[in-house]
Amino acid sequence: MKRKILKNIPILMVIIIVIYVFSVAKKTEDPHMQVLASVEKDKLPSKIDSTEKYKIVNRSTVVPEKITGNKKVVLLTIDDGPSHRTLQIIDVLKKHKAKAIFFINGMNVINNPEVLEQTTKEGFTVGNHTWSHLNLKKEKDINIVEKEINSDSLIIEKLTGNKPVFFRAPYGESTPYVRSYIKDNGMIFMDWSGSALDWDKSAREKDIFINNVTSNLHPGSIILIHEHPWSLENLDALLTKLELDGYTYVDPKNIIE
């Protein structure tokens, strides 16, 4: 019996060592990863004050109408849809209780009319981004410029029942005439102050995608994202990071001229 106990001692020692190493590893785990794991398990609630109003300043920053209003907010904007990824993007936004403006091109609606309709049904705002993503600054024929804008507005109104409230010029390129025309047609002209730069191949990497946004982040940032596959893939991580940094989202319906 004594010999049998002595024979099992090495096995017991191995078990004790394994348990000890595992417990130390758990204690020394990166605390940042622990926080992220906790967030994934119990997602931080995002707050949208349905009564607070915001204004656009310099076409690139959103600020509360009242001095006492919440300034630590961002406005999310998604460009160049609709696409077969639009509704997946919406699912990620809903997971975070976030709203956004979907700036669409009319030419993309032809193959995705039901997506545009569903975007509105899901409670998201649709904005005018011209019919064919034309560079309005380079186009000298104002009739073509106006047709690009008007055609997009018409298809948005036809499929959603609402005239677009917001306009964004492709490439951020416009002229005084374009800006005046947008104002005369009752739309709010909008650029951006932060971008995922997701047209660049480097932004396919999650850390680069997030850093592109957060490196220039400030209260009131209007964030530009596109409907690329990697943008969809990295969106959840970006929103988690924004929430960990204390930011909440502006509902475009609370923006006044």
Side-chain angles (χ1 to χ4, degrees):
M1 182 72 175
K2 193 173 183 181
R3 185 180 299 173
K4 191 173 181 181
I5 293 173
L6 290 172
K7 196 174 180 180
N8 289 331
I9 286 176
I11 298 173
L12 291 171
M13 290 297 292
V14 170
I15 294 172
I16 291 169
I17 290 170
V18 169
I19 293 172
Y20 175 76
V21 170
F22 180 76
S23 64
V24 170
K26 288 293 284 182
K27 288 179 181 178
T28 57
E29 186 179 350
D30 183 354
H32 180 65
M33 293 304 295
Q34 290 177 347
V35 171
L36 286 178
S38 174
V39 170
E40 283 300 315
K41 183 179 178 182
D42 189 16
K43 191 65 69 176
L44 289 172
S46 305
K47 300 175 184 177
I48 297 179
D49 187 342
S50 60
T51 61
E52 191 152 8
K53 302 299 180 183
Y54 290 85
K55 292 185 176 183
I56 305 298
V57 176
N58 296 326
R59 304 196 302 271
S60 59
T61 304
V62 60
V63 297
E65 180 187 25
K66 297 178 181 178
I67 298 176
T68 56
N70 179 21
K71 296 179 178 64
K72 198 165 186 182
V73 295
V74 294
L75 175 62
L76 302 174
T77 61
I78 319 291
D79 282 16
D80 297 353
S83 72
H84 64 277
R85 284 179 288 273
T86 303
L87 299 182
Q88 291 174 279
I89 290 172
I90 286 176
D91 285 342
V92 176
L93 294 170
K94 287 168 65 178
K95 176 182 176 182
H96 289 262
K97 300 181 177 66
K99 293 294 185 181
I101 302 173
F102 284 82
F103 282 105
I104 66 99
N105 298 120
M107 65 179 184
N108 293 331
V109 177
I110 295 173
N111 294 323
N112 301 284
E114 71 290 342
V115 173
L116 185 63
E117 293 173 334
Q118 189 63 30
T119 298
T120 301
K121 288 178 182 177
E122 294 283 357
F124 289 86
T125 300
V126 176
N128 186 320
H129 197 38
T130 74
W131 181 267
S132 66
H133 208 271
L134 179 72
N135 188 320
L136 301 178
K137 191 173 184 178
K138 292 182 178 180
E139 179 55 62
K140 304 305 179 185
D141 188 335
I142 62 171
N143 291 318
I144 293 177
V145 168
E146 292 179 3
K147 186 177 180 180
E148 280 282 325
I149 297 168
N150 295 339
S151 297
D152 206 44
S153 288
L154 284 172
I155 199 165
I156 290 172
E157 184 176 8
K158 180 181 178 181
L159 291 176
T160 70
N162 302 305
K163 293 181 179 179
V165 175
F166 303 100
F167 175 85
R168 170 171 286 160
Y171 314 104
E173 297 280 3
S174 66
T175 65
Y177 176 79
V178 170
R179 294 190 288 275
S180 176
Y181 188 77
I182 292 304
K183 185 176 181 180
D184 291 344
N185 280 269
M187 288 184 281
I188 299 173
F189 197 102
M190 186 180 296
D191 289 323
W192 61 89
S193 49
S195 173
L197 304 178
D198 48 0
W199 53 82
D200 191 274
K201 289 182 179 180
S202 64
R204 298 182 184 192
E205 297 292 330
K206 181 172 67 176
D207 291 343
I208 294 176
F209 181 93
I210 293 174
N211 187 65
N212 285 342
V213 174
T214 58
S215 60
N216 296 311
L217 190 66
H218 59 79
S221 284
I222 297 177
I223 299 172
L224 167 62
I225 303 168
H226 294 84
E227 297 202 14
H228 298 308
W230 50 92
S231 304
L232 168 60
E233 185 177 336
N234 296 326
L235 182 58
D236 183 58
L238 171 63
L239 300 186
T240 298
K241 171 62 176 170
L242 293 175
E243 291 155 18
L244 286 171
D245 288 344
Y247 283 91
T248 53
Y249 311 107
V250 171
D251 188 334
K253 293 177 181 176
N254 290 335
I255 295 175
I256 57 177
E257 190 171 2

